Amino acid sequence: MFLTVNMRDKRPIYKQIVGGIKDMILSGELKSDEQIPSVRQLATDMNINPNTIAKAYAELERAGVVYSAMGRGYFVSPDLTGARAEEKEEIKRALLRCVKNAERCGVEKACITEMALSAIDEAYKEKNERNGENDKNR
């Protein structure tokens, strides 16, 4: 598992770790019931205080993204319904902020729609290209 933190990011390190692990799970990079590194291992790998990793894991567990098995570690939850709903709400809030900002700048509704569709097309094109590259590497 490869995670990085950005020391210039205003978010706390544990939030960056939570976001990184959520991204890996929701993108399918980490699979259902797959074990994630132990607190100690990830802390060593990232050169971060183990308490920070433990805080991130506790938040992921509260959100239902991972579960712990006593003495065995943390695993990706097989049911990500709650995590997906939370992500959708965050996406909705981000889109609303963008649309309000565009409206304040005088951008017409049709132009906002065109820009959104263009961004969607670009994102899916990149996703398809990445998936094609992954297929070639197999």
Side-chain angles (χ1 to χ4, degrees):
M1 185 165 82
F2 183 73
L3 276 176
T4 59
V5 293
N6 181 350
M7 295 305 178
R8 293 183 180 169
D9 194 323
K10 292 181 181 181
R11 296 177 300 155
I13 292 172
Y14 85 95
K15 288 277 191 187
Q16 293 182 51
I17 293 167
V18 167
I21 292 174
K22 273 186 180 180
D23 288 347
M24 293 172 81
I25 291 169
L26 293 173
S27 71
E29 190 175 334
L30 291 173
K31 307 286 187 223
S32 177
D33 293 315
E34 183 176 340
Q35 187 169 14
I36 61 175
S38 69
V39 169
R40 186 177 300 150
Q41 182 62 54
L42 191 57
T44 301
D45 291 350
M46 296 184 73
N47 198 24
I48 292 175
N49 188 310
N51 292 331
T52 302
I53 305 297
K55 187 173 183 177
Y57 280 16
E59 184 166 318
L60 287 164
E61 189 169 23
R62 271 193 303 280
V65 176
V66 301
Y67 65 92
S68 61
M70 188 66 89
R72 292 187 37 229
Y74 288 90
F75 298 82
V76 176
S77 176
D79 180 13
L80 298 174
T81 307
R84 290 186 196 288
E86 187 179 306
E87 284 294 310
K88 285 181 183 177
E89 281 304 311
E90 178 55 37
I91 291 166
K92 185 177 177 180
R93 286 190 295 271
L95 286 171
L96 183 58
R97 283 191 303 271
C98 288
V99 169
K100 285 182 177 181
N101 188 38
E103 182 185 44
R104 273 194 307 277
C105 293
V107 180
E108 296 292 325
K109 185 177 179 179
C111 186
I112 294 170
T113 303
E114 183 180 315
M115 289 170 22
L117 290 173
S118 175
I120 291 167
D121 288 343
E122 186 175 328
Y124 277 89
K125 179 182 176 189
E126 289 174 7
K127 178 184 175 187
N128 290 336
E129 287 171 357
R130 280 193 313 271
N131 288 341
E133 287 175 12
N134 290 341
D135 291 341
K136 290 177 189 173
N137 293 333
R138 289 185 188 162

